[in-house]
Amino acid sequence: MSNQFQLFKRRRFSAMFFTQFLGAFNDNIFKQALILVLTYTAASKLGVEVSILNNLAAMLFILPYFLFSALAGQIADKYEKSKLTQFIKLLELVIMAVAAVGFVFEWYALLFVALFLMGTHSTFFGPIKYAYLPQAMKEDELVGANGLFQMGTSLAILVGMIVAGILTQLSQSLYWISATVLVVAVLGYLAARYIPTMPAMQPDLKINWNIITTSLATVRYLYSLPFLFFIIIGNSWFWFYGATFLTQVPEFSKVILLGDESVVIFLLTLFSVGVSIGSVLCKTLTRNKVSLRLLPFGIAGLSIFAIDLYFSLSGLDINVNNDTLLGIGDLFNISGSWRVFADLFLLGFSGGLYIVPLYASMQAYAPKSHRARIVGANNIFNAIFMVTSAIFAIVILNVLGFTLPQLFLVTGLLNIVFGAFLYIKLNKHIKHAVIQTNDGMAP
């Protein structure tokens, strides 16, 4: 474990870690602050339903992943990564300046433009950071580096959401939000300046700027590598699974637990800390090797604790008077609440055991010349699965009329079927993947 955190002493790791941490942190400060502004201010001013504005915001952030991921992968393969990252971080500064103007003057259309541009920024940065790791890390560092990256991402998302909530409660909140996102963007650019130079993997690549044909070609290429294809389907399932649960946290905090906003933050913290601990432990549990041996434990945990969450929520008996919402301290004293908290933490922990081996395998087995484009394809599928998650939840809850605990039960049962299918497919194709890779990184 100590060796894993020793990576922070190496500039080739720490500079990219803090660059990506600050990027994810800023994304979530901006997104969460915008959602809170839309919910409590903009909806009434514009005379538009809150759900319409929030769904529009979610769509605008995810849309660039569909449009530009394949193009982003080509660019990351063609150009040197440190200079490319610095350029993208300068663009983040410009985008946050646009967002600051939108917040201060309450120009909501401009805020939506900034949201789309931040989604685009994240789309172009994703292939760089995940293709960078196998290039900058030694073979026995890759799993540990991925664990720390996943931990950092989970914590950045959580802390970003908390900071956004705090900022929106301050007087002159729009000025505070604007100043914060600009400062974090500056810090991200400064971190990027310390990233060491990494040679371009395919400098002679001719970029195809047609985003439709590029996306189709990237997915077609991925499909020709069955092991990587199923690795990415497995990655994307994690985003489907996480989105299905985390999107419902505010509602089941209020409707089932009868909790206030502090309960929402507490439950998100439990899940995020669980993911972080599971991710960091992967290095120790796999003995530094890129391996799928933890995957069955991750799959099993995601199902067991989702199913148990159904039973723990169904068994709760909470009564309050006068529509009073409970705080964390109140819930601690209610019989059965600790089981709910444990289920959420262990769901996150299982997610960490599940996702880190998949990300490490994607990087290790991807051909060096196409590594960033493989990550681009991964982002396309992630976006598809996240949108599918929203549709799935709407169908289960609104069309079929299931309850939230029943949604968690169905998702946990589906995970058993999907997990078995994924593990069988990966074991079938892994030997062929070792032969195809031929670049010394495959375990």
Side-chain angles (χ1 to χ4, degrees):
M1 181 76 70
S2 61
N3 291 337
Q4 187 169 7
F5 288 95
Q6 292 292 319
L7 285 173
F8 282 109
K9 295 181 178 179
R10 298 180 174 90
R11 185 162 64 95
R12 57 190 165 87
F13 174 79
S14 58
M16 182 58 86
F17 175 89
F18 287 110
T19 300
Q20 71 91 26
F21 177 89
L22 290 165
F25 180 53
N26 219 17
D27 270 355
N28 284 277
I29 293 175
F30 175 56
K31 282 193 298 181
Q32 187 69 8
L34 178 57
I35 286 171
L36 292 171
V37 168
L38 292 176
T39 301
Y40 292 102
T41 306
S44 58
K45 285 187 176 181
L46 298 174
V48 180
E49 290 287 335
V50 172
S51 60
I52 293 175
L53 290 176
N54 286 346
N55 285 324
L56 177 61
M59 183 193 72
L60 282 173
F61 190 81
I62 292 174
L63 184 59
Y65 287 91
F66 287 109
L67 299 178
F68 306 127
S69 285
L71 178 61
Q74 288 184 87
I75 292 171
D77 275 331
K78 181 176 176 64
Y79 296 105
E80 192 275 316
K81 293 181 178 60
S82 65
K83 293 291 186 292
L84 196 55
T85 302
Q86 291 166 25
F87 176 73
I88 287 173
K89 288 294 151 182
L90 278 176
L91 289 181
E92 181 184 354
L93 254 175
V94 174
I95 295 166
M96 288 296 96
V98 171
V101 172
F103 275 125
V104 170
F105 292 98
E106 297 186 55
W107 293 343
Y108 302 115
L110 192 61
L111 286 169
F112 279 125
V113 170
L115 184 65
F116 177 82
L117 292 176
M118 274 304 283
T120 303
H121 158 271
S122 298
T123 300
F124 279 89
F125 183 51
I128 297 172
K129 66 179 179 182
Y130 283 116
Y132 171 90
L133 279 183
Q135 196 175 350
M137 300 296 109
K138 297 174 183 176
E139 185 175 347
D140 63 355
E141 295 172 335
L142 189 58
V143 175
N146 271 282
L148 291 172
F149 257 53
Q150 191 61 48
M151 175 196 74
T153 301
S154 297
L155 294 179
I157 292 170
L158 173 67
V159 178
M161 293 173 67
I162 293 172
V163 168
I166 293 171
L167 292 175
T168 53
Q169 299 303 309
L170 300 175
S171 61
Q172 303 295 317
S173 60
L174 298 178
Y175 288 92
W176 279 106
I177 294 166
S178 301
T180 301
V181 294
L182 282 169
V183 168
V184 176
V186 169
L187 293 174
Y189 172 71
L190 293 176
R193 289 184 62 86
Y194 287 92
I195 297 172
T197 300
M198 287 289 153
M201 297 310 297
Q202 202 174 351
D204 298 328
L205 175 67
K206 185 178 180 181
I207 294 177
N208 178 1
W209 295 94
N210 185 318
I211 58 176
I212 296 174
T213 58
T214 299
S215 298
L216 291 174
T218 300
V219 172
R220 197 178 300 118
Y221 175 74
L222 173 65
Y223 194 69
S224 72
L225 305 171
F227 180 73
L228 285 171
F229 175 77
F230 286 109
I231 284 284
I232 283 175
I233 294 298
N235 282 345
S236 299
W237 175 256
F238 175 77
W239 290 101
F240 173 97
Y241 204 87
T244 300
F245 277 81
L246 294 184
T247 303
Q248 318 309 324
V249 166
E251 186 174 351
F252 93 71
S253 296
K254 183 177 179 181
V255 175
I256 299 176
L257 301 181
L258 305 180
D260 60 19
E261 291 87 345
S262 67
V263 175
V264 178
I265 297 299
F266 177 70
L267 296 183
L268 291 173
T269 301
L270 282 176
F271 186 86
S272 298
V273 171
V275 171
S276 300
I277 294 174
S279 298
V280 171
L281 279 177
C282 283
K283 173 183 178 289
T284 302
L285 296 174
T286 60
R287 297 177 182 175
N288 278 352
K289 293 183 179 178
V290 177
S291 166
L292 296 175
R293 70 179 63 158
L294 292 179
L295 191 62
F297 297 98
I299 293 168
L302 287 173
S303 285
I304 289 169
F305 299 114
I307 293 169
D308 193 66
L309 185 61
Y310 162 76
F311 289 108
S312 60
L313 288 174
S314 300
L316 282 178
D317 184 20
I318 303 176
N319 293 304
V320 295
N321 298 320
N322 303 322
D323 296 326
T324 304
L325 293 177
L326 303 175
I328 293 295
D330 301 317
L331 278 175
F332 282 160
N333 298 319
I334 291 176
S335 175
S337 62
W338 282 89
R339 184 176 167 187
V340 174
F341 301 154
D343 283 334
L344 272 173
F345 172 81
L346 291 168
L347 267 173
F349 181 83
S350 302
L353 297 183
Y354 174 91
I355 195 63
V356 170
L358 290 176
Y359 266 111
S361 296
M362 178 180 73
Q363 294 160 358
Y365 287 102
K368 286 183 178 179
S369 60
H370 285 67
R371 193 175 277 146
R373 276 168 282 179
I374 293 294
V375 178
N378 176 68
N379 290 342
I380 292 173
F381 280 98
N382 286 354
I384 292 171
F385 272 63
M386 288 173 73
V387 171
T388 305
S389 163
I391 297 170
F392 169 74
I394 289 170
V395 169
I396 293 292
L397 295 172
N398 300 109
V399 178
L400 299 180
F402 284 27
T403 63
L404 284 174
Q406 288 170 337
L407 170 66
F408 301 148
L409 175 64
V410 170
T411 308
L413 294 173
L414 276 178
N415 185 68
I416 296 174
V417 177
F418 177 84
F421 164 79
L422 178 68
Y423 196 66
I424 290 168
K425 288 294 185 181
L426 291 178
N427 277 327
K428 176 182 176 181
H429 293 294
I430 190 167
K431 289 182 180 178
H432 187 54
V434 174
I435 297 171
Q436 278 187 318
T437 305
N438 277 332
D439 64 0
M441 273 302 297

